Amino acid sequence: MAVLLLIAGFLGLNMTVKALFMSFGTNVAIGDPLLPRGLPVKFFKVKILSGQPRITWNPAQGIVPVATVPGRVDMQIKLLGLIPLNHMVVNVVPAVRVVPGGHSIGVLLHSRGVMVVGHAVITDPQGNKHNPALEAGILNGDVILKINGRRVQSEQQVRSEITRCGQTGSPVTLEIKRGQRIFTTRLNPVFCAETKRYRIGLYVRDSAAGIGTLTFYEPKSKKYGALGHVITDFETNRRIDLEDGQIVEAVVQGIRPGRRGQPGEKIGLFTGDGLTGNIEKNTSYGIFGSLRQPLANPLYPQPIPVALVYQVKRGPAEILTVLRGNRIGRYSVEILQVMPQNRWEGKGLVIKVIDPELLRQTGGIIQGMSGSPIIQNGRIVGAVTHVFVNDPTRGYGVLAEWMIYEANLLPKDKKVA
């Protein structure tokens, strides 16, 4: 059984140290991520200062430490066994194994409040032009959280409350969220001669829907990850603050291939059968929640390990996705770059589609393919996220390690004082 080293804090030289796979009694050749680059690993020695001492390491063979039990370990690395180089506290936890996805899903998401997606000029019965919302400083991308002190749950609720205030001659009070700032504003509805109702000059949206791909499912916790990127409003490109949502099974009915400057897309239909789950988080690394029933993948009957950043290499890999109906296919890709420093924007990989059949049917990466798992050497290493508009054969991927942190399948790193 494999275990994982998570760096909780380190002192000494400024070295890049991420997480490491260790294994119970089995050496895993992965190079020297614990050590400064450019020096042979045989010059270094690991000393256990406290915690579980049952860790062995053979630097002459270029392997990582081997742990026998999980636990907290205080470790020190020395050059030639004499000169301290690095001091770190690590947590050894079981490795994460997941069922790979590739399943097409329909995504239904309701926002917290309603998002402003546009403005409209109102013409009153006398022919005068008004836009109360714009005059009050309300902008595209703002989120209306409350109206007249009541929590907003739908655009229909906003419309009804504006009508009521207009008919009684009272102002509308809105609580607005803009970024991290929340403020209140008041405005007077205007009777619209065209629509024959009271309006404040806003277009708002309370939900989003689309087709995507499931990335993984963890059987013990029933947690899943999908899409690999945040869901934003199409009009404003702002992240949708999640109120609630669900995923359902979808079938692919057709493909519109991608071309240079013109992204393609899957044409799908929500079925509501089989795969269903809730949406608990909408983040830069995808959407996350729990499935209501177990999930299987015929191409991978057993769960496979999730790769950490240092285990992802340039070279051949495969993606799993659906091109017709609900049948998952496997297709060849090439990992061109691994960029762990891009975590803040969720783009850790650059990939290129090289599979002849996938290129023939789709032209490369298309909309609806987001979340398709990327598998390399028997490990899930990431998920497809974006396409290069000027070259649909290439695109970005998010690293799987980042996704399992967001799914709370691994504890967050904690600094040690």
Side-chain angles (χ1 to χ4, degrees):
M1 177 180 179
V3 294
L4 189 68
L5 273 181
L6 300 177
I7 302 308
F10 63 91
L11 304 172
L13 294 182
N14 183 19
M15 293 188 292
T16 300
V17 182
K18 281 291 187 181
L20 306 175
F21 271 122
M22 303 173 71
S23 68
F24 292 121
T26 302
N27 295 336
V28 183
I30 57 103
D32 55 347
L34 279 172
L35 308 176
R37 297 192 179 278
L39 293 175
V41 293
K42 64 182 180 181
F43 291 155
F44 302 94
K45 182 178 180 179
V46 173
K47 181 179 180 180
I48 307 302
L49 302 179
S50 66
Q52 293 289 348
R54 285 177 283 176
I55 295 179
T56 61
W57 186 45
N58 187 350
Q61 297 181 19
I63 57 175
V64 295
V66 176
T68 57
V69 292
R72 189 177 178 87
V73 182
D74 191 348
M75 301 173 63
Q76 187 177 59
I77 298 175
K78 291 186 176 182
L79 177 63
L80 301 175
L82 299 173
I83 304 172
L85 291 181
N86 204 9
H87 178 198
M88 65 192 74
V89 177
V90 301
N91 289 320
V92 183
V93 298
V96 177
R97 289 178 173 268
V98 298
V99 175
H103 312 69
S104 278
I105 56 172
V107 179
L108 305 163
L109 185 147
H110 289 90
S111 65
R112 177 179 173 230
V114 296
M115 180 175 288
V116 176
V117 297
H119 293 80
V121 175
I122 304 166
T123 304
D124 66 19
Q126 289 74 42
N128 299 313
K129 307 291 185 181
H130 306 269
N131 194 323
L134 193 60
E135 293 165 6
I138 300 175
L139 305 176
N140 283 2
D142 286 351
V143 177
I144 302 174
L145 299 177
K146 292 182 180 179
I147 182 167
N148 295 331
R150 297 183 181 88
R151 183 166 161 263
V152 171
Q153 296 180 304
S154 69
E155 57 181 285
Q156 178 59 49
Q157 176 192 358
V158 173
R159 187 180 298 114
S160 297
E161 193 67 13
I162 290 171
T163 298
R164 185 187 68 79
C165 289
Q167 291 173 344
T168 59
S170 55
V172 174
T173 301
L174 301 178
E175 182 178 280
I176 306 289
K177 181 175 184 287
R178 179 179 299 161
Q180 300 303 312
R181 177 186 168 213
I182 296 178
F183 61 94
T184 300
T185 188
R186 301 179 74 190
L187 55 164
N188 294 305
V190 174
F191 187 80
C192 178
E194 181 181 353
T195 62
K196 308 301 182 187
R197 61 182 176 85
Y198 285 92
R199 302 176 62 188
I200 58 173
L202 285 180
Y203 294 114
V204 297
R205 183 177 295 135
D206 61 7
S207 61
I211 295 286
T213 303
L214 192 85
T215 306
F216 65 80
Y217 167 69
E218 201 284 311
K220 292 182 181 178
S221 64
K222 298 183 180 179
K223 293 182 180 294
Y224 76 86
L227 298 191
H229 62 74
V230 68
I231 299 177
T232 60
D233 179 79
F234 178 77
E235 302 274 353
T236 65
N237 203 34
R238 299 283 184 89
R239 181 176 72 91
I240 297 176
D241 288 333
L242 177 67
E243 176 69 21
D244 60 66
Q246 62 177 321
I247 62 170
V248 297
E249 185 173 335
V251 295
V252 178
Q253 296 181 308
I255 297 288
R256 184 169 65 83
R259 296 179 177 84
R260 186 182 295 271
Q262 185 179 357
E265 64 176 336
K266 294 182 181 182
I267 301 169
L269 175 69
F270 296 6
T271 67
D273 300 327
L275 186 160
T276 59
N278 66 350
I279 302 175
E280 299 168 4
K281 299 172 71 174
N282 177 30
T283 80
S284 298
Y285 311 115
I287 59 171
F288 303 90
S290 301
L291 295 188
R292 298 187 177 95
Q293 59 280 317
L295 184 73
N297 186 324
L299 300 180
Y300 285 89
Q302 299 299 322
I304 64 174
V306 175
L308 301 186
V309 173
Y310 74 90
Q311 294 178 305
V312 186
K313 309 297 182 185
R314 292 192 223 178
E318 68 177 22
I319 65 171
L320 307 182
T321 200
V322 173
L323 298 184
R324 189 71 186 177
N326 59 6
R327 188 176 70 85
I328 302 171
R330 61 203 319 166
Y331 305 97
S332 300
V333 298
E334 185 93 8
I335 297 177
L336 301 180
Q337 286 182 268
V338 183
M339 307 175 295
Q341 71 277 10
N342 286 352
R343 178 166 183 167
W344 66 274
E345 60 180 7
K347 297 175 180 177
L349 299 170
V350 175
I351 65 170
K352 179 179 176 65
V353 175
I354 58 175
D355 190 281
E357 180 63 17
L358 187 59
L359 290 171
R360 185 185 69 81
Q361 293 200 47
T362 68
I365 298 168
I366 59 176
Q367 294 176 21
M369 203 178 282
S370 294
S372 299
I374 306 168
I375 297 174
Q376 184 183 63
N377 298 326
R379 300 185 182 99
I380 180 167
V381 301
V384 177
T385 58
H386 298 80
V387 62
F388 290 4
V389 175
N390 291 326
D391 182 1
T393 68
R394 299 175 186 242
Y396 287 112
V398 62
L399 287 157
E401 179 184 342
W402 302 346
M403 293 187 73
I404 61 173
Y405 276 114
E406 284 298 322
N408 297 321
L409 296 175
L410 283 178
K412 302 285 187 181
D413 292 357
K414 295 180 180 179
K415 296 294 183 183
V416 176

